Structure formats: structure tokens, C-alpha cells
Amino acid sequence: MEFAELIKTPRVDNVVLHRPFYPAVEGTLCLTGHHLILSSRQDNTEELWLLHSNIDAIDKRFVGPLGTIIIKCKDFRIIQLDIPGMEECLNIASSIEALSTLDSITLMYPFFYRPMFEVVEDGWHSFLPEQEFELYSSATSEWRLSYVNKEFAVCPSYPPIVIVPKSIDDEALRKVAAFRHGGRFPVLSYYHKKNGMVIMRSGQPLTGTNGRRCKEDEKLINATLRAGKRGYIIDTRSLNVAQQARAKGGGFEQEAHYPQWRRLHKSIERYHILQESLIKLVEACNDQTHNMDRWLGRLEASNWLTHIKEILTTACLAAQCIDREGASILIHGTEGTDSTLQVTSLAQIILEPRSRTIRGFEALIEREWLQAGHPFQQRCAQSAYYNSKQKWESPVFLLFLDCVWQILRQFPCSFEFNENFLIMLFEHAYASQFGTFLGNNESERCKLKLQQKTMSLWSWVNRPGELSKFTNPLFEANNLVIWPSVAPQSLQLWEGIFLRWNRSSKYLDEAYEEMVNIIEYNKELQAKVNVLRRQLAELETEDGMQESP
Amino acid sequence: MEFSELIRTGRAQAKLLRGPEVPPLHGTLCVTGHHLLLSPGPQATSDLWLLLLRSVDSIEKRVSGDSGTITLRCKDLRVLQLDIEGVEATLDIARSIEALSSLESVITSFPFFYRPKGLRLGDAWHFHPPERYYKRVDRETNAWRLSEVNEDFSLCPSYPRAVIVPRAVDDDALERCARFRQGGRFPVLSYHHAPSGTVLLRSSQPLTGPQKRRCAEDEELLRAVLAGARPGARGFILDTRSAQAAKQARMTGGGTEARAAYPGWKRLHRPLERGWPLQESFVRLVEACGYLEQSMDCWRSRLEACHWLGHVKEALSTACLAAQAMEREGACVLVHGAEGTDSTLLVTSLAQLILDPSSRTMAGFQELVEREWIQAGHPFQLRCAHSAFSHARPKHEAPTFLLFLDCVWQLGRQFPLLLEFGEGLLLALFEHAYASPFGTFLCSSEKERCLCEVRTRTHSLWSGLNQPKEQRKLRNPLYVPSPLAIWPSVEPQSLRLWQGLFLRWTRPNLQR
């Protein structure tokens, strides 16, 4: 298919663009296969380049011959185009609609994007499972890399390489996979070097109504416990939901069959409930009625902060089991691709200082989200302005980023990255020129040949010029476990995401710049002090030598 | 009366708990005339712990076996627990604290005994804001004069000795105006906005009564204000009550300016909450903040139900309206409610922060608080007698000043570069307004302060705060002066709970 077929009117003159914080601009609107461009053809005026894939929904209105298109973006921005001529307006609107909802992934922009920067380090090779495993293998010999899923036959949503207990062979893994939802047998997610405890994740066991068992599964899970140690299975569903799952072939681990393990149920919402929460929240943020009670009421009714609290509470519980109780844990919900990953990745933020660095956080996203098979393509297909009939969309990853932001806010010096880094990841998960967040799992990414045909987000981010934008000037490496407060009073609305387009951040940005300057200046002065101290010490020793010939 | 009569027991062994993050302190507990002391003993590494009894808002005692527990809820919203050996000692100490913390006499209060090292009495009392401020106004315009008509506080007991009034109006006329305004609070200058040549005035309600009485001198005064401003200036009378409440006030002798009597002036009503409802909102907010184990829904609905953020929004919007009228419409603004000592001052002082860059400096803000709150007759002694924990029957308490500080904090959050002072100064002012070793916030008016000789017998908070070691904690390191007006966003989405104050003692110690 040619894009040209979808573009009914490639350009219109005298279009007026309205967008937050900028004066209206009049110019020429052009549609290309992947972009909506508005150019005023004047110097000094910023042009608009908008990826079609960033468009969540459009509305059109007509007043006489003047048409107006309101474009609602996946990053929650709303822009308005005034287009003279009804026919042009209708053409543009239907073209945008078609281009922003392309079915085929291979027609997406990442397959056409040619970077203008020099690739220093190819991001596709920055975080290989083998390298990640090496970090552990120096500390423990109880685990091994398994290539059982090399052809994606055992578990379509797992990567080719996974970390499993050394004592379990690939044959046993195949049997366990048959017993777990989507073939997601328990694999290592995190190894806590301090006490050797681990976090594992999986899909739900397929016990069904007649309480099916799997000896290999029991053996695998027990193999991860040291003698006399106990473990916890954290189920991210309520007991009720987990019991109901049996009717559909799912279920949970019977404690009788896993005697060293205790099961804990925590209820984290999923799917369309989260999506509806997001829709309500963004609606509330765009509410212009200037009424405090109404705003607080709608904010409460969206339940967004409740979800944040549930997720963080569960992650804290997992971290507590590991660090304070000295117990290993296995986490799963139903599929093990959503709330499970929220919990395993946040627990690592709490426990592992490395995951609070830029590099470590990228590795965490690569390992615990991309390789672990979070279905980004489905979950991030639409954002808050699109009321989809399908139930695939869900802001699971955005909730994770929001939770990280909450911890970052509580521990502003413990993270190497800043809020902008999280915002950038949100944007790219929903619409990007890079291939990183395309596809639902490694298997799909392999088939699409993303590594050969698209550029990795990490290739772009990890260049010094870009990194400086994402670096937290307050960062001081903190090797401790950090315990965030989950009291409702401690959790706040993430203004940087949700109120980003409602008000200018000019003054906050200036203050941030000023803070960076003060910190830089302080560092310079420190360096000067050190040089002078050294000179003084040298002079004193010289004096000493002269005095005692 | 001697304090010793109220102190029933000298000392007892006790353990002090100050929240989950701080280790408990063991030692000997002592009650003195103004303080509760805990001395950790000669070998201890920690210092003496000291609490001003005046800062205790409510006290709760419990005994079990041969020991007791006293819970002290302080006016700065801190909650302390004392575990005391001996039932008798516990009860005695509790009774002593109760008696001493609720003493109402001003001249036996701690500021009259406080003699800190490094400060001299009378040091910072030199700044007499009306006179000082008049010098500035006089440089900008000659339409105003400093009147000492209230020299002996006979005209208006809640005004300072000197006030700034239109040059065209003489002292006799002022006397007649005073009789026409509640509490004698005739219209006086609050702020002259040089860039647009307009002024901000404040007063109390006119005493029109049901007969719609008029006062020629009052009308003349407001006419003179417009004549002295830039040519063609209009005026707005900003009534901080609803139109209905203003109308009802006529039944009790008050009222509002009749349109026909004040040509050129237009009346606007912007109801602001005051008195008991405001205090109740404060009490409920603090209660909500105190629940540590609650669901998100409970917390959000409690936060909503207390309406505190709604009051913040209303106060800021009204101040913005006043500022806008002056800066953008070139109009003069007179603000009053009923007494003119509460919401009126909230609006006039916030409008100045918005318009006047000098009030955003460390010295300028202190001067603003002194001039627009303390000297303008905000009854601190009454309003801040109790804070959010008190079980005492409320009389005149209202957190109007705290609401002002909260609004200033919102400004600081929206414009992090533009205030020379930081959150530290606002927290300090909140604490000192409710309980302080300094005399600045004592009494309810200049007249009372004169009678009690506060200026000569106590230290000024300003000299305390302006010591170099204090200043470090109070300054905003990011400050960059800007000559422009700052227009805060008053959309509900832009306003936040002031965590630094309301969650100061309950939230876990956040990294800074």
C-alpha cells in the first residue's frame, strides 16, 4: 500500500495552529506518510512536526466555511488546526484518521526513520541477557542460563534466553511451561546479593477446577530455596479472583503442594479498569470549571492514585520479604505480563541501587518489560482520549513510571536520572521514531527484524548530549535500600505528565536551571578548595624540609 | 499570681517520644513557669530538650499501673508523647501543663522574660512601618499624607498611631469617617502601585444600617482618592462578603456603600470564608492529615470535605482580582468585609505580593507582615489563641494568617525564583504567630501593645530572624529579583496541599 493513497490533500495553505503556551501560527499544513507538519515559512517561528502515531483521537467542527480539527495526542497534548475550506478540512481529517491508525507495524515510522546522529553504541546490543547474567554469576552458582526457548516454542512471550535454577534441566522446564499460563514458567527476575534471596516471576499455574499438579513445577520452585528457608508467593490478584480463575483453567499454588511457601494475595487492578481510570484522570485535568470541590472529587473518582498506592504497596511488600525477612519470592497474577512486571521492577528500584542509575534503569526496562514480554504494542495502542471497544489498551507501563516518579520525589538524591527521563520513556512507549517499544514480545520483534530495520531508542539516549538532559544534578550514589512511604498523603499527582500541557512550566524550568547552576558552581568551588589544600600541603612539606636541613 | 502556685510537682523521670523517625529521649522532666524541660542527665550526649508551654494546644493523660502517659498536641501541629514514672507525678504534671499553657495574661507571658544572648531590647522595633512606608509613597506621589489623627488610639483602637490618607482630606473629616465605619476603621492607604498610578485601600464596612445612612466625609474621601490617582481612574469596592451577607449586615447596623453615593466606584462581592467555618476547615484538615493508615479514597474525600484548598483558591483569586483591577484596568481598589481585620488583610497583603517586587524580598515581606497584619490590627491574640487540636470552646480563633501563609507558599511553588525567602520563613511565622518567645505577635492591636509596653519589654521576632545563622535557613537560594507582577494560576489543578506544614511531623523524613 502506498501512503499516497491515504493522503487525499497533501497540503493546505493559510492554516492556523493553536497549541498550549505558543502564540497562534499561520502557515502551510503538509501531510506526509508519517508526519503532520505545519510550517509558517518564516524564520524564528517554531514549526510543528507531529508523528501520526502520536495522535490518539481527532474531532472536527465547522463554522461556515471554516473547519477546525482538534487533535488529541497520546502524550495528552491537545492542539487545534483552523483550516479554510470544508472539503480540505474533511480530507485532512480523514487522512489523519487513516494514517494514525495503520494496522501494519512494518508501515510504522521506525521502519522509515534514518537517524541524523552518529551511532556511538548500538542500543540493540547494550543489554544482552548474557551480560546481565554475568553480574549475578560472580555471586552465585545456583542459577544458569537456559536456551530452551531459543525458537520461542516453549513460551512465545519469553526471550530466547532465561535464567533458571541450575538443578532444573530443560526437559523439566518444558513440562513446567505446559503447567503455566502462556508457557511462562518461573524464571529469575532479581538476585539480592546482600543475602542471596531472589525474585522470580511466572504466569499463573493451570491447576483448573480439579487441582491439577505438576511435580516439575514444585521441584523448580523449591529448588530456589536454601535449606530451611521459606518463601512467599505473591499473587497480584485477590483470593476471590484467583479462585474464580480456576473455572477458566487457571488457578494458584496449593500450599499443601508447596509446603515451604506461603501465598499472599494483593489486589492490583488491570486492563480496562486502569484504562478507564486514566481516561477519567485526564478528563479531570482538562476540566476548566475552576471549581476546587469538583476537581478534588474527579481526581478521587478517577482512582488513579489508589492504583499507584496498591502497586507501590505490593512492591514494598515484595522488597520487605527479600530484605527484611530474608525470604525469596515468586510473583504472578494471571498472564504475568502486567501487574507482575510492575511489582518485580519496582521492587528492584527499592532494593537495587544500580537500577536507580540511568544505565541500570534502562537495563531494568529492557529486562523486566521488553524481554519479559509486556505487550507494549497492545497496551499502548491508544491513550486517554480514545474510548476503545477492544480491551487491550491499559496504562500499565505509565503506572510503573508514575510509581518510579513517586519514589524519585521522595528520594530526590538517590536517582541518577530526572523526571524528564521518565516523561521521555512515556512518550516513546506510545509513539516513537525508534523500534524499541514496537511489538509485544521478543518473538514478534525477531520476526519484524527490528534490530536490522529500525534504530534502538538506547542508541539515541545514551549519547552524552542527550544524557545531560536526563541527568539528575542532585544524584549522590546511595547504596541502601530505599523505603518509600505509601501513606496516601505521601502520594501526589504527577504534574509533569498530567498537567504538562495545562500550564506553562517556564518558571519551574528556570528554577531547575538555576539549581543546576548552583550545584555546578559549588562543584567548581570544591575543586578549587581541593587544589588549594594540596598546594598548601606541598608548601608546608617544603617548609619543613628547608627548616631541617 | 506566682507561677509556683500552678506548678504542682517539681520533677519526674520520663521518656519522650517524638515520632517514629526520632529515637526516644530519657531523662528528668521538669515544669517551669514557661517551659517543659527534659534533662537527659549528666552522662547523656544529647542536649536539654525544651518546649514552650504556650505552644501546647491540647493535653491528654492516661495512667496504667504505676506509670502514666501524657500526649501533648502542639500548636505547630506536632504530637509528643511523654511516658512518666509515677501516677501522682503524671497527674500533677498534666495539671500543671494545663494550667500554665492556658494563661491569658500577656504581661506574664514568656516574651517578657526572654533575654537571648546577642540581642538587645528594642533592636528591631525601630521599624515603624506606616512612617517608613509613607516615605516611599511620598517619593512616588504627593496625593497622600501621613496623619497622626489616631495618635492616642481614640479614633480607631485597632489602627496604628499614624495612617496614610488622601492629602485633600483633613483630620476632622477623618474623625467623622471613623464614626461611619465599624470599629472606626476609615479607609486608609494600603499600597500605592506606582507603575499604574493606582492605589489599594482598606477599611471596615460602612455603618449604613437599615436606614441606609450616608456620610458626606466618607464619600468625599473616596472621591479624593480617585482625584489623586491617574486621570480618569475608576474605583472598585471589593467586599469580601457575599451580596446577601452584606445586605443582611444592615440589620445589625453595618452595610455596604450605596452605588449612588460613590460615583466612579463599582462594588464587587467576593465571599471569603472567615471565623468559625475557617477554623473548622483547619481542624478537619489537620485531623485528616493525622490518619496514617487510611485508604486513598478516605484521604482524598477527607481532603475534599475540609474545603481548605477551596479557601486557598478563593483568597488567591480575590487577590488576583484586586491586583488585576489595579495593574491592568488602572483602577483604585478599596477592600473591606465586616470588621476589616481578617479577610480584608488577606486580600490586600496578597495583592501586594503579586504586584510589588519589593514585598517579595526578605526585608520587604517582613515589613508587609508587620504593616498589613500586625499594625493593621489583625487580632493575633484572639485568632491564634488555639490551633487545630484544641478542645476548648472556640471563641475568636481563625487561621486567617495561616491561610495567608499558605497562599504565599502557593506563590512560591509556582514562581520558585521570585521570592527571596523560602518555606522556612513561612513555617517560622506560623509557629511564632501561635506561640513565641518574641513579642511581635503578642496582643491584638497597636493600642494593646502600647499598654503592655511590648516594644520596650520584649524582643522583636524580626531581630531574632535576621541573625545571620537564622537567615541561612530562611532564604531561597534560587532567588532572582524580577520587576514584574506575578500572576499565579488559581485553577484548582494548580493548587496543592502545603505538605511542608500540614504533613511536617507525620510524613517520613524525605530526603531534601
Side-chain angles (χ1 to χ4, degrees):
Chain A
M1 182 204 61
E2 287 291 316
F3 292 120
E5 293 168 20
L6 298 174
I7 304 173
K8 293 181 184 157
T9 304
R11 55 174 286 172
V12 186
D13 291 324
N14 305 322
V15 172
V16 180
L17 163 73
H18 305 269
R19 57 185 159 165
F21 321 130
Y22 289 96
V25 181
E26 186 178 330
T28 303
L29 179 74
C30 296
L31 288 187
T32 72
H34 295 106
H35 285 98
L36 181 150
I37 303 162
L38 189 120
S39 164
S40 64
R41 297 177 189 276
Q42 280 165 2
D43 298 338
N44 310 329
T45 320
E46 224 185 300
E47 300 186 339
L48 175 77
W49 280 74
L50 185 71
L51 262 181
H52 291 317
S53 58
N54 192 3
I55 296 173
D56 203 29
I58 66 169
D59 287 340
K60 37 188 189 293
R61 276 202 311 258
F62 294 96
V63 179
L66 182 76
T68 293
I69 299 180
I70 295 175
I71 298 178
K72 299 175 178 173
C73 301
K74 289 179 183 161
D75 59 11
F76 310 140
R77 181 173 28 160
I78 296 179
I79 56 183
Q80 183 186 328
L81 295 170
D82 295 341
I83 300 171
M86 190 185 260
E87 199 189 328
E88 280 86 351
C89 186
L90 284 171
N91 283 346
I92 294 278
S94 68
S95 306
I96 294 176
E97 239 160 318
L99 289 165
S100 61
T101 52
L102 292 178
D103 280 333
S104 166
I105 295 182
T106 52
L107 289 176
M108 305 282 271
Y109 187 52
F111 288 92
F112 299 82
Y113 171 67
R114 292 295 161 260
M116 306 291 278
F117 58 86
E118 192 196 343
V119 176
V120 184
E121 178 195 336
D122 185 354
W124 290 118
H125 305 298
S126 291
F127 307 101
L128 299 176
E130 292 90 340
Q131 289 167 3
E132 292 292 312
F133 181 63
E134 267 170 38
L135 292 172
Y136 296 143
S137 53
S138 58
T140 172
S141 57
E142 292 158 358
W143 298 83
R144 69 178 180 96
L145 284 178
S146 165
Y147 297 84
V148 67
N149 198 38
K150 211 160 80 193
E151 311 293 331
F152 304 107
V154 178
C155 171
S157 64
Y158 270 173
I161 309 172
V162 289
I163 306 173
V164 294
K166 193 166 236 173
S167 56
I168 306 295
D169 61 22
D170 283 357
E171 204 41 51
L173 291 179
R174 284 198 184 90
K175 285 191 189 133
V176 178
F179 181 62
R180 293 274 171 180
H181 193 120
R184 293 176 72 91
F185 54 89
V187 294
L188 183 80
S189 159
Y190 171 66
Y191 179 85
H192 196 48
K193 278 188 186 159
K194 199 168 116 194
N195 59 9
M197 295 301 125
V198 296
I199 300 179
M200 288 179 298
R201 51 178 159 74
S202 69
Q204 65 177 344
L206 302 173
T207 58
T209 34
N210 33 21
R212 217 155 61 86
R213 290 175 62 175
C214 171
K215 285 269 182 270
E216 287 78 8
D217 191 76
E218 290 160 25
K219 194 176 158 219
L220 188 159
I221 291 177
N222 275 327
T224 62
L225 287 188
R226 293 182 185 160
K229 284 281 185 185
R230 291 178 56 84
Y232 291 93
I233 296 172
I234 297 180
D235 195 320
T236 61
R237 305 162 295 181
S238 69
L239 179 59
N240 207 358
V241 173
Q243 274 165 347
Q244 282 167 2
R246 283 196 299 213
K248 287 186 227 149
F252 51 86
E253 294 82 356
Q254 290 292 338
E255 279 180 352
H257 305 147
Y258 301 84
Q260 284 166 277
W261 294 79
R262 236 191 95 196
R263 219 178 53 241
L264 302 170
H265 289 274
K266 282 282 176 184
S267 141
I268 297 181
E269 284 304 347
R270 54 201 79 211
Y271 313 133
H272 64 280
I273 294 185
L274 298 180
Q275 184 69 13
E276 274 159 25
S277 170
L278 176 68
I279 291 172
K280 280 189 193 160
L281 174 64
V282 172
E283 252 171 36
C285 291
N286 290 332
D287 187 327
Q288 304 284 332
T289 51
H290 285 256
N291 180 317
M292 181 60 79
D293 287 353
R294 190 178 153 96
W295 156 244
L296 291 175
R298 294 188 72 171
L299 182 60
E300 186 197 335
S302 79
N303 273 329
W304 184 263
L305 288 167
T306 308
H307 301 315
I308 297 281
K309 182 171 149 63
E310 280 167 2
I311 297 165
L312 271 176
T313 307
T314 312
C316 283
L317 174 74
Q320 234 157 4
C321 290
I322 298 272
D323 192 65
R324 299 223 167 139
E325 301 236 343
S328 287
I329 51 172
L330 166 67
I331 301 174
H332 68 73
T334 307
E335 293 94 340
T337 54
D338 294 274
S339 54
T340 304
L341 305 182
Q342 287 173 332
V343 176
T344 59
S345 51
L346 286 169
Q348 292 180 52
I349 298 274
I350 294 170
L351 293 168
E352 169 67 276
R354 182 173 158 256
S355 67
R356 295 173 225 140
T357 63
I358 290 183
R359 202 73 197 184
F361 191 68
E362 290 171 0
L364 182 79
I365 288 186
E366 186 70 35
R367 202 173 63 233
E368 291 294 302
W369 288 89
L370 293 162
Q371 310 245 355
H374 175 67
F376 278 99
Q377 193 75 38
Q378 292 179 345
R379 298 288 181 263
C380 302
Q382 299 293 344
S383 175
Y385 296 121
Y386 187 87
N387 224 331
S388 150
K389 294 284 176 303
Q390 289 173 337
K391 303 286 186 203
W392 298 121
E393 287 85 7
S394 185
V396 177
F397 187 62
L398 175 58
L399 274 163
F400 160 70
L401 294 176
D402 196 332
C403 290
V404 176
W405 178 80
Q406 304 283 349
I407 307 177
L408 169 66
R409 207 185 63 82
Q410 293 185 25
F411 297 90
C413 305
S414 297
F415 287 80
E416 194 190 0
F417 51 86
N418 59 18
E419 181 181 3
N420 295 336
F421 190 60
L422 300 174
I423 296 175
M424 180 275 293
L425 288 171
F426 159 68
E427 289 177 344
H428 285 278
Y430 279 84
S432 176
Q433 66 270 45
F434 302 106
T436 297
F437 290 108
L438 288 183
N440 289 311
N441 49 49
E442 282 301 285
S443 162
E444 288 188 20
R445 283 180 205 113
C446 264
K447 285 192 198 109
L448 291 167
K449 298 203 172 59
L450 292 183
Q451 294 206 10
Q452 292 82 40
K453 293 189 170 168
T454 72
M455 177 65 55
S456 161
L457 172 66
W458 313 129
S459 307
W460 171 71
V461 170
N462 287 334
R463 293 169 316 126
E466 291 303 321
L467 274 182
S468 64
K469 285 187 256 168
F470 302 130
T471 308
N472 175 8
L474 296 173
F475 177 58
E476 279 172 38
N478 169 2
N479 280 317
L480 300 173
V481 175
I482 54 176
W483 297 107
S485 159
V486 293
Q489 294 97 321
S490 308
L491 303 178
Q492 289 197 348
L493 180 70
W494 186 6
E495 294 190 6
I497 283 278
F498 296 109
L499 300 177
R500 184 179 175 195
W501 308 106
N502 305 54
R503 68 190 41 92
S504 161
S505 62
K506 178 170 163 265
Y507 293 101
L508 298 181
D509 292 345
E510 280 174 13
Y512 185 80
E513 290 286 310
E514 189 64 29
M515 184 183 77
V516 172
N517 290 341
I518 290 175
I519 291 167
E520 288 300 315
Y521 184 56
N522 192 33
K523 276 188 195 152
E524 266 171 46
L525 292 180
Q526 279 294 342
K528 245 182 226 170
V529 168
N530 289 341
V531 170
L532 291 174
R533 282 225 175 96
R534 220 172 299 133
Q535 281 177 358
L536 183 68
E538 277 166 19
L539 288 172
E540 277 173 351
T541 45
E542 272 173 35
D543 274 358
M545 276 152 67
Q546 279 166 3
E547 272 167 28
S548 53
Chain B
M1 180 206 58
E2 288 289 312
F3 294 125
S4 55
E5 293 168 20
L6 298 172
I7 302 173
R8 293 173 175 246
T9 187
R11 52 193 57 216
Q13 289 302 309
K15 180 173 84 173
L16 169 71
L17 299 158
R18 287 172 289 180
E21 307 278 321
V22 198
L25 200 62
H26 295 265
T28 311
L29 189 70
C30 240
V31 185
T32 73
H34 294 109
H35 286 99
L36 192 63
L37 308 174
L38 190 79
S39 129
Q43 277 90 38
T45 46
S46 48
D47 291 335
L48 186 75
W49 177 84
L50 201 75
L51 179 76
L52 197 60
L53 286 172
R54 176 90 198 144
S55 64
V56 174
D57 203 29
S58 87
I59 168 167
E60 209 180 278
K61 51 185 184 286
R62 238 184 16 246
V63 289
S64 67
D66 53 0
S67 66
T69 298
I70 294 180
T71 307
L72 297 176
R73 291 190 164 74
C74 301
K75 289 178 180 158
D76 61 4
L77 310 182
R78 201 164 21 153
V79 179
L80 304 165
Q81 187 187 321
L82 286 164
D83 294 339
I84 299 169
E85 286 176 21
V87 170
E88 202 58 29
T90 306
L91 295 176
D92 282 346
I93 285 177
R95 259 176 248 139
S96 313
I97 295 175
E98 239 161 317
L100 289 164
S101 62
S102 55
L103 287 181
E104 282 184 9
S105 152
V106 171
I107 51 165
T108 59
S109 66
F110 185 58
F112 286 84
F113 299 85
Y114 180 54
R115 294 295 173 263
K117 273 188 225 139
L119 294 185
R120 278 182 311 159
L121 274 179
D123 250 3
W125 289 119
H126 61 269
F127 81 117
H128 299 296
E131 289 85 346
R132 203 180 138 109
Y133 186 62
Y134 176 67
K135 278 193 192 131
R136 178 176 150 190
V137 175
D138 197 33
R139 276 197 303 274
E140 294 166 351
T141 165
N142 59 2
W144 297 81
R145 69 183 182 94
L146 193 69
S147 164
E148 298 192 346
V149 65
N150 199 36
E151 177 70 47
D152 54 358
F153 304 111
S154 59
L155 219 57
C156 172
S158 63
Y159 270 171
R161 292 175 194 276
V163 288
I164 307 172
V165 295
R167 193 173 288 279
V169 178
D170 62 21
D171 284 355
D172 290 342
L174 291 179
E175 262 176 62
R176 254 161 275 149
C177 287
R179 261 177 265 140
F180 182 62
R181 294 274 173 179
Q182 179 170 1
R185 295 176 70 92
F186 53 88
V188 295
L189 181 89
S190 163
Y191 168 63
H192 177 249
H193 189 49
S196 65
T198 55
V199 293
L200 183 63
L201 306 160
R202 52 178 159 73
S203 71
S204 60
Q205 65 178 341
L207 300 174
T208 57
Q211 285 90 31
K212 301 192 184 169
R213 220 155 59 83
R214 291 175 59 168
C215 169
E217 287 78 7
D218 193 75
E219 291 161 20
E220 178 52 38
L221 192 154
L222 288 191
R223 200 166 21 234
V225 168
L226 292 188
R230 62 177 199 102
R234 290 183 305 147
F236 288 102
I237 295 172
L238 202 54
D239 195 321
T240 62
R241 304 162 295 178
S242 68
Q244 203 195 356
K247 209 176 264 173
Q248 276 169 359
R250 282 208 292 252
M251 304 311 294
T252 48
T256 183
E257 292 83 355
R259 183 172 237 201
Y262 298 87
W265 290 86
K266 197 181 158 205
R267 214 174 58 230
L268 299 170
H269 291 275
R270 285 288 178 281
L272 294 182
E273 205 55 89
R274 61 198 82 214
W276 171 234
L278 195 58
Q279 177 73 7
E280 199 185 10
S281 165
F282 176 40
V283 169
R284 289 173 69 183
L285 173 59
V286 170
E287 217 174 74
C289 293
Y291 295 107
L292 288 182
E293 300 287 329
Q294 60 183 334
S295 72
M296 185 59 78
D297 284 358
C298 279
W299 159 245
R300 303 296 324 180
S301 53
R302 281 180 176 135
L303 182 62
E304 186 193 338
C306 78
H307 292 301
W308 181 262
L309 285 170
H311 302 320
V312 171
K313 176 176 152 34
E314 293 310 321
L316 271 175
S317 333
T318 310
C320 281
L321 179 71
Q324 219 159 10
M326 294 172 68
E327 162 105 354
R328 304 223 165 131
E329 309 211 5
C332 296
V333 177
L334 165 66
V335 185
H336 71 71
E339 294 95 342
T341 54
D342 293 272
S343 49
T344 303
L345 306 181
L346 190 60
V347 175
T348 58
S349 52
L350 286 173
Q352 289 179 58
L353 274 165
I354 292 170
L355 292 174
D356 182 9
S358 71
S359 70
R360 295 176 223 137
T361 63
M362 178 66 84
F365 185 69
Q366 293 178 4
E367 204 181 305
L368 182 76
V369 170
E370 179 77 33
R371 184 163 50 84
E372 286 296 292
W373 287 90
I374 297 171
Q375 309 241 354
H378 177 66
F380 281 98
Q381 193 76 24
L382 300 173
R383 298 286 181 264
C384 302
H386 289 287
S387 172
F389 292 124
S390 171
H391 304 305
R393 207 163 58 82
K395 285 174 284 197
H396 307 286
E397 290 81 3
T400 319
F401 187 61
L402 171 60
L403 186 59
F404 163 69
L405 296 175
D406 196 334
C407 293
V408 179
W409 178 83
Q410 306 281 352
L411 285 175
R413 205 182 75 82
Q414 291 188 23
F415 303 95
L417 295 174
L418 301 185
L419 302 183
E420 195 185 4
F421 48 92
E423 187 181 26
L425 179 67
L426 303 176
L427 290 174
L429 290 177
F430 165 65
E431 278 178 29
H432 285 282
Y434 278 86
S436 174
F438 297 98
T440 298
F441 288 110
L442 286 181
C443 303
S444 287
S445 65
E446 275 304 285
K447 183 182 177 185
E448 289 179 22
R449 266 170 230 123
C450 272
L451 287 173
C452 297
E453 298 174 83
V454 170
R455 274 172 200 284
T456 47
R457 295 176 52 198
T458 73
H459 284 282
S460 156
L461 173 64
W462 309 126
S463 34
L465 292 181
N466 289 333
Q467 297 175 93
K469 70 171 184 340
E470 292 294 321
Q471 281 288 297
R472 281 197 49 182
K473 293 182 263 173
L474 307 178
R475 283 186 183 276
N476 171 12
L478 300 178
Y479 176 61
V480 180
S482 153
L484 300 173
I486 53 177
W487 299 105
S489 160
V490 294
E491 283 171 44
Q493 289 97 327
S494 308
L495 303 176
R496 276 268 193 89
L497 179 70
W498 184 6
Q499 296 208 336
L501 186 124
F502 293 106
L503 302 177
R504 184 175 179 192
W505 310 105
T506 47
R507 70 175 170 182
N509 250 332
L510 300 185
Q511 268 186 2
R512 303 206 177 209

